[in-house]
Amino acid sequence: MSGDSPPRFVLASPESEFYWRSGADGRLRIQRCGDCGRWIHPPGPACPFCHSRRIGPEPVAGTGTVATYTVNHKEWIPGFTPPYVFAFVELDEDPTVRIGTNIVGCEIGEVEIGMRVEVLFEESGEWHVPLFRPAGAREP
Amino acid sequence: MGEPLERRAVISGAAQSDVGRRLYRTGIDLTVDAALRAITDAGLTTADIDGVSTYPGFGGSFGGAMGAELHEALRLSLNWRSSGVETAGPLGAVHNAILAVATGVARHVLVFRTVVEGSGGPLRPGSGSGGGGGMSGSAGPFQFMIPYGAASAACWVACYARRHMHDYGTTRTQLGAIAVNGRANAAANPKAIYTEPMTIDDYLAVRMVSEPLCLYDCDVPCDGSTAVVVSHRDYAPDAPAGAVGVNAIGTAIRGRPSWDQFDDLTSMMMRHTAASMWERTELSVDDVDTAQLYDGFSWLTLAWIEAMGFCGKGESGAFVEGGTNIGPDGAVPLNTSGGQLSAGRLHGFGHLHEAVMQLRGTANIGVDDCEVVAVGAGGGPETGSLLLTKGPS
């Protein structure tokens, strides 16, 4: 997945739009309950824990751990040139917040479960798509 | 709990249409074949059928055919009809029929599952192909995976398989035992898609799809329809081919209904499904004579083996390695008609059909003295199971 960016088919909903726009200022945001403080992902209409409606996006550090991943060898969507890594990253603020993403900025063979990663964003039209790279990596 | 209500139901008939990689026939065309054969198999006529149940209840390559299409095609007169994708996986259509019969709403329910994914076109994101639990938009699994090229359940299941390997030491050679076992059994199934012999070396040499899943870890899309007739157990003595009893249904959805947010990345919803089934029966896993467990991807079968309790958590790799335990003469003969990996992706209903054949003693690879079969179908958040017995339970 080097060179041109693959097509990022973002289908944002009213609840999730903030997630896909959040990177405009370089920060990742996750929905959080204003009453019980729990993190909520994917974003929903109410806090699933205390049922509060006082919910909204809140910045997170953007760091986490690779919970698991796959290396795709099939071009599931035209433009996603294999091989490429799809991973689930668990955020430091709450490991039950699990984010699907691509791991970039390293060799595919370097990706492993437990790897520390940090967010970066890829602009795609009006969206800022969260990607992750090894923690501490420099801008290319 | 008193006697579980599902024991009032039996499976009185079972049949399939032709099954093939590409038949270029419509879903309803195949469905009519399967339905008429199942009704005849049950010793009934279309006039006796007063209920229809199917999954998922829409057309297209994944949906196959709607209940209303069969209703109209056979000019049935129904007291009850049901379909839907928000079930405990594809077997949810059977659960619904069982409950309709048990409550007396219907007496003979025709249940079918049809797929035309062989000739019906390629899998496309958002095309309605594949699962997803019927969820779309903000709550759906696709929104947070499609932008990353994870457009197939292969990608998601691969992530679970990878974590299972990491946590428990499961190997690709162990995973391959599911595919090799299925291929060996498919050789005796005249409707199977792939029957050429496969060795574990063949498996290890084939191309990767989504690591650690290779081509032979993924089932083969096909065209075909499977139908069963669910009847009240009062009818059992009159069922000419023999009635199969329903001992327990597994329906629980106790975790988050999600492919990506399930609490444990080494199991899936079948963990709850199977637990709920065992809660409804005095039988135990030791009573099971053969298991027909979903293999849309080979790793799902490992997850089902653990969920059902044939081995401990994390032990399924060692349990299946070499194929001895799961072979026709093993402790738990598995997917004796070849499963979906080799016999075609009939979406769990191939497994159901084989369970009925085993309990009737008419399977191509018969298990001696078969009295109890566990059937589990589906993956991710869409899983359901059945515990079936020889004769009414």
Side-chain angles (χ1 to χ4, degrees):
Chain A
M1 214 162 62
S2 55
D4 292 343
S5 296
R8 303 290 185 182
F9 294 116
V10 172
L11 291 167
S13 66
E15 289 92 347
S16 72
E17 196 176 322
F18 79 86
Y19 180 83
W20 299 107
R21 296 193 189 282
S22 182
D25 66 357
R27 304 292 301 275
L28 180 66
R29 287 171 178 79
I30 297 292
Q31 191 180 61
R32 191 175 196 183
C33 179
D35 283 319
C36 76
R38 298 280 293 268
W39 299 93
I40 305 157
H41 187 75
C47 174
F49 306 103
C50 76
H51 306 154
S52 169
R53 295 277 181 163
R54 279 206 325 128
I55 50 175
E58 191 164 313
V60 292
T63 52
T65 303
V66 173
T68 187
Y69 68 99
T70 179
V71 180
N72 284 299
H73 292 264
K74 183 174 166 66
E75 192 175 27
W76 293 109
I77 295 174
F80 276 85
T81 306
Y84 62 97
V85 176
F86 174 73
F88 289 124
V89 168
E90 293 175 347
L91 290 189
D92 287 345
E93 282 80 359
D94 180 352
T96 69
V97 173
R98 190 182 291 151
I99 293 177
T101 191
N102 297 129
I103 305 295
V104 299
C106 64
E107 296 298 320
I108 280 176
E110 294 173 35
V111 178
E112 59 184 10
I113 292 171
M115 182 183 197
R116 296 285 303 153
V117 289
E118 64 187 20
V119 74
L120 72 160
F121 297 94
E122 182 178 294
E123 273 193 69
S124 178
E126 61 185 307
W127 312 117
H128 287 74
V129 176
L131 307 177
F132 283 79
R133 64 185 172 198
R138 293 180 177 280
E139 292 288 345
Chain B
M1 177 163 66
E3 183 188 71
L5 211 60
E6 57 263 44
R7 296 189 193 172
R8 295 183 186 175
V10 296
I11 296 174
S12 60
Q16 289 180 320
S17 69
D18 287 351
V19 176
R21 186 77 173 92
R22 290 184 181 85
L23 298 178
Y24 297 108
R25 292 171 60 188
T26 64
I28 187 61
D29 185 22
L30 295 167
T31 304
V32 166
D33 274 358
L36 291 176
R37 289 171 190 171
I39 292 166
T40 300
D41 184 65
L44 300 169
T45 72
T46 54
D48 297 309
I49 299 299
D50 62 351
V52 165
S53 177
T54 188
Y55 174 102
F58 50 79
S61 60
F62 173 74
M66 294 173 62
E69 287 181 88
L70 184 70
H71 184 170
E72 169 66 8
L74 300 182
R75 300 289 169 99
L76 300 172
S77 178
L78 304 178
N79 292 318
W80 179 83
R81 194 181 75 207
S82 172
S83 74
V85 72
E86 284 200 282
T87 53
L91 292 181
V94 185
H95 298 154
N96 288 345
I98 289 166
L99 296 176
V101 165
T103 54
V105 174
R107 181 164 172 80
H108 298 290
V109 179
L110 190 290
V111 189
F112 71 90
R113 174 78 180 100
T114 303
V115 288
V116 283
E117 294 180 303
S119 54
L123 185 75
R124 290 185 302 276
S127 70
S129 294
M135 296 166 75
S136 61
S138 63
F142 300 129
Q143 179 186 172
F144 295 94
M145 297 196 271
I146 294 290
Y148 303 104
S152 166
C155 311
W156 321 331
V157 175
C159 286
Y160 282 76
R162 169 76 71 187
R163 183 64 183 259
H164 197 272
M165 289 177 167
H166 175 269
D167 288 8
Y168 299 114
T170 313
T171 66
R172 288 198 61 231
T173 298
Q174 293 172 340
L175 197 54
I178 299 294
V180 170
N181 176 71
R183 182 62 63 88
N185 291 340
N189 176 0
K191 291 189 174 179
I193 307 288
Y194 295 132
T195 55
E196 319 85 78
M198 180 204 293
T199 67
I200 195 71
D201 289 335
D202 296 332
Y203 168 90
L204 293 170
V206 80
R207 67 180 167 85
M208 279 289 170
V209 173
S210 290
E211 286 184 39
L213 303 182
C214 67
L215 184 65
Y216 295 154
D217 289 309
C218 307
D219 61 2
V220 53
C222 72
D223 300 344
S225 179
T226 307
V228 299
V229 178
V230 174
S231 301
H232 193 280
R233 72 175 167 201
D234 290 350
Y235 181 69
D238 300 317
V244 162
V246 177
N247 187 267
I249 58 176
T251 61
I253 312 160
R254 292 169 184 161
R256 288 178 73 178
S258 169
W259 282 90
D260 53 325
Q261 303 295 327
F262 195 67
D263 62 345
D264 174 17
L265 284 167
T266 63
S267 68
M268 287 177 169
M269 197 66 83
M270 62 277 277
R271 187 177 96 218
H272 299 298
T273 298
S276 71
M277 186 181 82
W278 294 122
E279 289 162 11
R280 300 180 67 80
T281 180
E282 66 287 350
L283 296 175
S284 78
V285 68
D286 296 331
D287 295 309
V288 174
D289 297 304
T290 171
Q292 308 298 327
L293 301 177
Y294 193 76
D295 56 347
F297 299 97
S298 54
W299 184 80
L300 296 177
T301 316
L302 293 190
W304 271 112
I305 287 170
E306 293 181 16
M308 285 284 183
F310 292 113
C311 64
K313 177 99 166 81
E315 297 172 356
S316 58
F319 183 80
V320 305
E321 185 166 9
T324 304
N325 278 335
I326 57 174
D329 301 316
V332 187
L334 175 74
N335 295 346
T336 43
S337 62
Q340 297 189 178
L341 295 172
S342 285
R345 177 184 156 75
L346 296 168
H347 209 212
F349 273 53
H351 298 80
L352 172 64
H353 182 269
E354 175 66 4
V356 173
M357 297 302 119
Q358 286 290 357
L359 289 163
R360 287 177 174 179
T362 57
N364 292 307
I365 299 175
V367 172
D368 292 342
D369 304 318
C370 184
E371 295 185 347
V372 179
V373 182
V375 187
E382 307 155 56
T383 57
S385 66
L386 289 164
L387 193 63
L388 303 176
T389 55
K390 182 174 184 169
S393 277

